[in-house]
Amino acid sequence: GEYGNVGGASVVMTLKSGTNEFHGNVFEFLRNSKLDANGFFANRAGRARNAFRRNIFGGTLGGPIKRNKAFFFMDYEGTEERSSGPALASVAPQVWRAGDLSGFPQIVRDPLTGTSAATRSPFPGNIIPGARIVNPVAQKLFSSPELYPLPNNAGTGALGVTNNYLASSASKLRNHQADAKVDVRLTDKDSLSGRWSIGRYESLGARAALPVQLTSGVDGPTTSALLSWTRTYTNRLVNESRISYSRTGVANNVVDWSGQLGTDGNAKFGIAGGQPIAGLSGVTLGGGLTNIGTGAAIADSKQNNYQAQTHFTFQASAHLLKFGGQVFRAQQNHYYAGNNGALGTFTYSGGYSGLNYADFLLNTLSAKGRGAVTGKWGQRHWRNAIYVQDDWKARPNLTINLGMRWEYISPLYEVADRQVNINTYTGELIYPGKSEFGRALYKAYRKQFMPTIGFAWTPDMFKNRLVVRAGYRFSSFLEGTGANLRLPLNPPFFVESNVNYDARTPGDIRTGFADVVGRGDLTGPRTGSAPFYQARAWDLDLRPQFTNQYNFTLEYQ
């Protein structure tokens, strides 16, 4: 009963305390490629070990502040990791860059000579004239060997282009974390404990095979603090009360690792309209080639948790009672660019010429889409609970565990009412404060009762050599869902859109996203095909998931 709001396991961790004597340690763990054995297949192929270096280091220190009264303990651990190795890509060979597609089994047709891909006239010999290669992205790629080199490796596959370029990749990881704890014995009946913890995690893709490929980075800072007061009222009644705060963050970014794209990468490739972050929009090349750029589905999430708990333990004859509750406030602040990303994507599918790579050369675009580049939002809710549990020693060889927990997870509302729900039965849009659902846009649920029952029994006939244990728990957990599924990610507060061009009128990558509404609002030009908006809906009768957990064990000595 003491623990709840989980769909799986509860993890309980403790931190050491200082004593009347000073104790400490330092440590260093080293692993690198000079000490590693080579992998079996790499060794068999005669390849050298990949470069790798990992250092894990730190230490602890604890001792008295005032003997028998106050103590401290602190620790630190750092991790630094560097790795690199070969990276493969599939790049267009020289004849493909010149428009010679005679090696493809598909018939390449001229989109200017008919209304459908099946009836258009073939290009003679599957060769596209140089004057028809009008895609500015293709022109930039093929004239920039520093960005898009020629093959340097024997390719595989039916067309011989798979993994025909060999380069190197690299990554970095840093993680530094520390704790500090102070324990004070205020009186014979009162103890105070305080803890402060930080963690700073960073990972970075430092290099990829091609400069036109972007890598990813993750930044995950955490900070938490806790103050705990333990009060012994009598030799049978003890109380522990805690207040705590934690702040966690996860930011997922894309990295222009080569520095050759910059904040005008799209403009360098002839794509108009600017861009919000450094890099290059995702472009599919087709033909089994490695795509370039990225949609950049970046995200930045920060969550503040404030919690107060109190727990009483009472020994009453054969009963060990524990009861208490918690008040938990969550502040969730998010930014998510959407599935199409802050840079967006351009897709060449082959619907116009019969071959996707030919569509790329001809700049007959079949689809494009972009997420929102603005639109931070914050959701708030409470997770409160009360519980009681009893470990009842019914007989010397039989202990029965009984418990009940009740939780209330309040519906999530947005701090500035920037969210919309959809009635999935009627299609009606539901706005904050304009319906029976209030600001959260779905109904509250107040029936999260979670009973627990179990026992441990040592049958007399086995002379304390056999123990029988069994238990049952009915638990519930409301999945918050990822930021991608939240109600603030609906128009008009968040707009993520796609444009799918019809079979007769392809799109043009040179216009960028001028005809796509995806800037976090509904303003701007609306030319070309009508954008398709993605929407999210939460059930109006949303319920947490419920889990029935059973266990039965036998132990015999």
Side-chain angles (χ1 to χ4, degrees), residues 72-275:
F72 76 94
F73 180 83
M74 62 181 67
D75 63 73
Y76 164 76
E77 179 181 300
T79 300
E80 296 281 347
E81 181 177 303
R82 303 288 187 274
S83 62
S84 62
L88 294 165
S90 303
V91 298
Q94 182 59 53
V95 292
W96 289 20
R97 303 181 187 206
D100 184 350
L101 309 183
S102 57
F104 284 91
Q106 298 94 330
I107 297 175
V108 181
R109 300 179 180 275
D110 188 347
L112 300 181
T113 61
T115 59
S116 69
T119 61
R120 290 164 182 157
S121 301
F123 282 106
N126 263 16
I127 297 176
I128 299 176
R132 296 290 304 279
I133 301 177
V134 295
N135 191 327
V137 177
Q139 294 170 352
K140 176 65 175 178
L141 282 179
F142 303 156
S143 63
S144 307
E146 72 281 2
L147 293 175
Y148 195 72
L150 287 165
N152 65 359
N153 189 48
T156 61
L159 298 173
V161 299
T162 302
N163 296 332
N164 63 0
Y165 183 74
L166 176 63
S168 62
S169 64
S171 63
K172 301 177 181 179
L173 183 148
R174 302 177 71 246
N175 186 32
H176 298 272
Q177 54 194 38
D179 304 283
K181 183 182 181 184
V182 173
D183 296 278
V184 181
R185 295 177 181 172
L186 299 175
T187 68
D188 290 340
K189 294 186 176 183
D190 297 280
S191 297
L192 200 64
S193 179
R195 174 189 57 79
W196 177 73
S197 304
I198 63 168
R200 299 295 182 263
Y201 173 88
E202 298 175 296
S203 67
L204 173 68
R207 182 180 178 86
L210 300 171
V212 287
Q213 292 177 290
L214 280 78
T215 59
S216 61
V218 177
D219 185 16
T222 61
T223 302
S224 65
L226 177 142
L227 183 65
S228 174
W229 172 35
T230 302
R231 169 74 173 178
T232 303
Y233 289 96
T234 69
N235 59 358
R236 295 196 302 165
L237 180 62
V238 178
N239 171 255
E240 182 189 14
S241 297
R242 297 194 296 262
I243 56 173
S244 63
Y245 164 77
S246 65
R247 179 177 175 83
T248 57
V250 178
N252 297 287
N253 305 302
V254 296
V255 181
D256 175 21
W257 64 269
S258 69
Q260 297 188 58
L261 300 176
T263 56
D264 60 345
N266 279 7
K268 292 175 181 177
F269 283 81
I271 304 172
Q275 61 194 85

Side-chain angles (χ1 to χ4, degrees), residues 9-53:
S10 293
V11 179
V12 180
M13 296 180 289
T14 60
L15 189 66
K16 286 184 175 181
S17 297
T19 65
N20 278 329
E21 297 181 357
F22 288 99
H23 294 280
N25 66 72
V26 294
F27 63 89
E28 159 76 17
F29 170 84
L30 168 67
R31 178 189 163 191
N32 63 33
S33 50
K34 296 184 182 299
L35 301 175
D36 284 350
N38 201 0
F40 173 82
F41 295 103
N43 190 60
R44 185 178 182 182
R47 297 197 304 268
R49 291 167 291 189
N50 293 339
F52 182 85
R53 184 177 183 87

Side-chain angles (χ1 to χ4, degrees), residues 275-396:
Q275 61 194 85
I277 60 175
L280 173 67
S281 295
V283 183
T284 62
L285 305 188
L289 302 178
T290 299
N291 296 329
I292 65 171
T294 181
I298 57 177
D300 187 2
S301 298
K302 299 289 189 298
Q303 178 161 330
N304 298 312
N305 295 328
Y306 303 88
Q307 188 169 191
Q309 298 179 333
T310 187
H311 306 282
F312 289 89
T313 303
F314 181 64
Q315 181 73 56
S317 185
H319 297 268
L320 180 62
L321 296 169
K322 195 164 188 178
F323 52 93
Q326 72 172 34
V327 177
F328 184 99
R329 176 67 167 174
Q331 296 179 338
Q332 301 171 332
N333 302 301
H334 294 284
Y335 163 69
Y336 177 59
N339 296 338
N340 285 331
L343 288 173
T345 58
F346 297 94
T347 302
Y348 294 93
S349 66
Y352 299 99
S353 68
L355 176 64
N356 47 18
Y357 178 71
D359 275 10
F360 167 68
L361 296 180
L362 296 165
N363 190 25
T364 48
L365 188 68
S366 60
K368 62 182 173 183
R370 191 173 72 174
V373 299
T374 61
K376 292 184 178 180
W377 47 271
Q379 286 187 318
R380 308 288 186 261
H381 71 282
W382 295 91
R383 292 175 181 253
N384 303 331
I386 55 175
Y387 75 93
V388 60
Q389 64 187 46
D390 180 16
D391 292 336
W392 173 31
K393 199 167 186 64
R395 296 180 57 190

Side-chain angles (χ1 to χ4, degrees), residues 151 350 444 446 464 476:
R446 295 182 171 86
N464 294 324
S476 64

